[in-house]
Amino acid sequence: MTASEPITLPPLEDAFESVNLELTRPQDEAVAMVPGDFALKHQILPLMVDNGTLVAAVGSPLSLGAVDELSVLLQRPTRAVLAPAAVIKEKIEEIFLEKILAGLPGQSDDNNNIDADENTDLADLQKMAGETAVVQMVNLVFAQAVRDGASDIHIEPYEKEVKVRCRIDGMLRDMMAPPKRMHAAIISRLKILGEMNIAERRLPQDGRIKITIAGRAIDVRVSIVPTVFGERAVMRILDKGTAMLGLAELGIQPDTLERYRQIIKVPYGVILATGPTGAGKSTTLYASLQEIWSPTTNILTIEDPVEYQVAGISQIPVRAAIGLTFANGLRSIVRQDPDVIMVGEIRDHETAEIAIHAALTGHLVFSTLHTNDSPGSVTRLLDMGVEPYLVASSLIGAVAQRLVRRVCSNCSQPYTPEGEMLEGVGIVASEWAGTTPFRKGVGCEKCQGTGYKGRVGLYELFVVDEPIRRMTVDRASSNQMKDYAIKTHGMRTLLGDGKLAVLAGKTTPEEVLRVCQREAF
């Protein structure tokens, strides 16, 4: 080697032994040695005791200082091995959750119950909320919910217990049952994080929490309401890393997607996304805005609240407390020279009329409605008091949608559904005879034994043409419009889209019938 040649050192990781945590199970003896808060803070996973030396997994050689600190704390030699940091984090949360919960104050009798009432001192609440065990519990609830892909977290107080449940793939599941006496401290901790009034326990409150879990930015919408047995909290998890999907990624059938892309390129009019809460309407609208965005287009939105921030789009949050409602905000938006407007939801006659007048004056308006199907959007607007001729002149299309759970790809197996189930989604024997296209999950660790993992959308696209406009002016029923759209344009209903998803092995007939109305009773 000459003096001019650079000296190349081997990667620091090569100096350490690596371990596969999928094959190595931590020993109870090693886990019992390490305090849960230390493991969580420093991301150190104890694995085993080897001839008196504690072997612990770390995600990076840079964690050696924490390993030395642990050795001093335990007064025994400690040796580090390497493993993926994400896997270590998951294992630590899984293993130490029960350990931390076991260290919390236990249930007490009615005479010693310290659950907060209206007379609890504010300083006591703040002290309780700041205790290490409470902070760790709240952090673990968020971490576990995000890891499991939950959309909502429910903290529900009852007379003698508190339940924590999370909604995964649209279904609520039990997560844990913290001690009843910890309920006030947990709620107070959430209020502090959400910048709410910790002393107010008689009125509903809303807040917002921004956290980072495993490098992902998570927004949490918090709603707290008083109940007979204490305050109930529901937290909506808005994961910015997973929400921004394009139209092609939503799972819309190719023919429906092609027609939808045609109508969102119309220069003006109203396009509605309909369906119940949690059906993915906002995701569809965000995807639509991304599809039509360009440097020459001015897009503004007014939302309650702004769920996801989209680059290149100006978004206004509703603030009803100071008079910034959908209607007032929409009036101001129209004066901002927009090309495209998105209104989070049309809730009343005033907002509906302003949105429709905006469409009639040359703007493309997107919004959402709560209806059972897409033709029902017409009758819903009429029920709000909008004149039929205004609806007929402005509405260009509506898409209804539902989310059904997807069959777990890890444990799915061929099976034959019951005849009644197949009949319910409109599948006849000639469409599958001789083949077995149906799949069903038998349950595994990845799907937590449910047989389902993730969700897939069902879509029903209703396009307004001249005969539909005449029917609107004549106040025809939504069923008449639906029959016309099916016969004339071949509109595929939600149930029809579900049928294709079942035949493709994406979901099951039972799941489709759970979220869709049968078309014949």
Side-chain angles (χ1 to χ4, degrees), residues 13-200:
E13 288 81 355
D14 291 351
F16 294 89
E17 177 187 349
S18 296
V19 63
N20 185 345
L21 293 182
E22 300 298 333
L23 303 177
T24 305
R25 179 178 178 81
Q27 295 177 351
D28 293 340
E29 178 188 1
V31 171
M33 290 181 179
V34 181
D37 54 353
F38 187 94
L40 281 163
K41 178 180 179 181
H42 297 286
Q43 291 296 290
I44 294 178
L45 177 65
L47 295 176
M48 66 186 74
V49 178
D50 182 16
N51 293 327
T53 299
L54 175 67
V55 180
V58 295
S60 166
L62 300 178
S63 301
L64 288 181
V67 175
D68 293 339
E69 187 178 337
L70 179 62
S71 180
V72 173
L73 177 67
L74 300 181
Q75 292 296 300
R76 75 164 55 234
T78 304
R79 178 164 59 90
V81 294
L82 286 180
V87 180
I88 289 177
K89 181 177 177 64
E90 183 177 332
K91 294 290 184 183
I92 288 174
E93 291 167 356
E94 178 184 324
I95 292 170
F96 284 97
L97 176 61
E98 292 299 328
K99 187 175 181 180
I100 288 173
L101 292 183
L104 294 174
Q107 291 279 17
S108 60
D109 57 31
D110 292 339
N111 295 329
N112 295 323
N113 192 350
I114 64 168
D115 205 7
D117 56 27
E118 293 182 12
N119 299 318
T120 304
D121 186 75
L122 177 59
D124 289 341
L125 279 176
Q126 291 174 326
K127 181 179 178 182
M128 292 162 59
E131 290 179 355
T132 302
V134 175
V135 172
Q136 289 174 347
M137 174 180 281
V138 172
N139 290 345
L140 283 173
V141 166
F142 283 134
Q144 184 173 335
V146 171
R147 187 181 68 230
D148 293 343
S151 61
D152 300 87
I153 305 169
H154 294 230
I155 299 178
E156 307 166 355
Y158 298 101
E159 184 176 7
K160 296 182 180 180
E161 64 176 346
V162 177
K163 284 186 177 180
V164 179
R165 299 195 290 171
C166 59
R167 190 178 294 278
I168 301 175
D169 295 336
M171 306 293 285
L172 279 172
R173 301 181 195 172
D174 288 336
M175 181 186 288
M176 66 178 75
K180 172 69 174 175
R181 64 180 288 142
M182 299 302 299
H183 170 248
I186 293 171
I187 296 296
S188 297
R189 176 65 181 168
L190 293 174
K191 287 181 179 179
I192 291 171
L193 292 173
E195 300 181 350
M196 291 177 268
N197 184 356
I198 191 174
E200 180 57 73

Side-chain angles (χ1 to χ4, degrees), residues 144-150 168-169 173 404-412 441 443-456 506-507 511:
Q144 184 173 335
V146 171
R147 187 181 68 230
D148 293 343
I168 301 175
D169 295 336
R173 301 181 195 172
V404 294
R405 291 180 294 171
R406 186 189 294 269
V407 172
C408 176
S409 59
N410 188 58
C411 64
S412 69
C444 65
E445 288 186 2
K446 287 191 175 181
C447 64
Q448 299 182 14
T450 63
Y452 297 98
K453 183 67 175 176
R455 289 190 286 179
V456 61
K506 295 179 181 178
T507 188
E511 185 64 11

Side-chain angles (χ1 to χ4, degrees), residues 352-430:
E353 283 222 324
I354 299 170
I356 286 174
H357 281 294
L360 293 175
T361 52
H363 306 91
L364 182 60
V365 180
F366 290 88
S367 191
T368 68
L369 273 180
H370 292 286
T371 63
N372 291 329
D373 57 14
S374 51
S377 58
V378 176
T379 52
R380 181 78 182 95
L381 290 172
L382 298 181
D383 290 342
M384 285 183 177
V386 182
E387 292 295 332
Y389 72 90
L390 290 176
V391 178
S393 303
S394 59
L395 187 64
I396 57 177
V399 57
Q401 62 186 87
R402 299 289 189 277
L403 292 177
V404 294
R405 291 180 294 171
R406 186 189 294 269
V407 172
C408 176
S409 59
N410 188 58
C411 64
S412 69
Q413 295 181 357
Y415 88 116
T416 302
E418 295 180 5
E420 183 181 351
M421 291 290 104
L422 292 175
E423 183 181 341
V425 296
I427 297 177
V428 297
S430 60

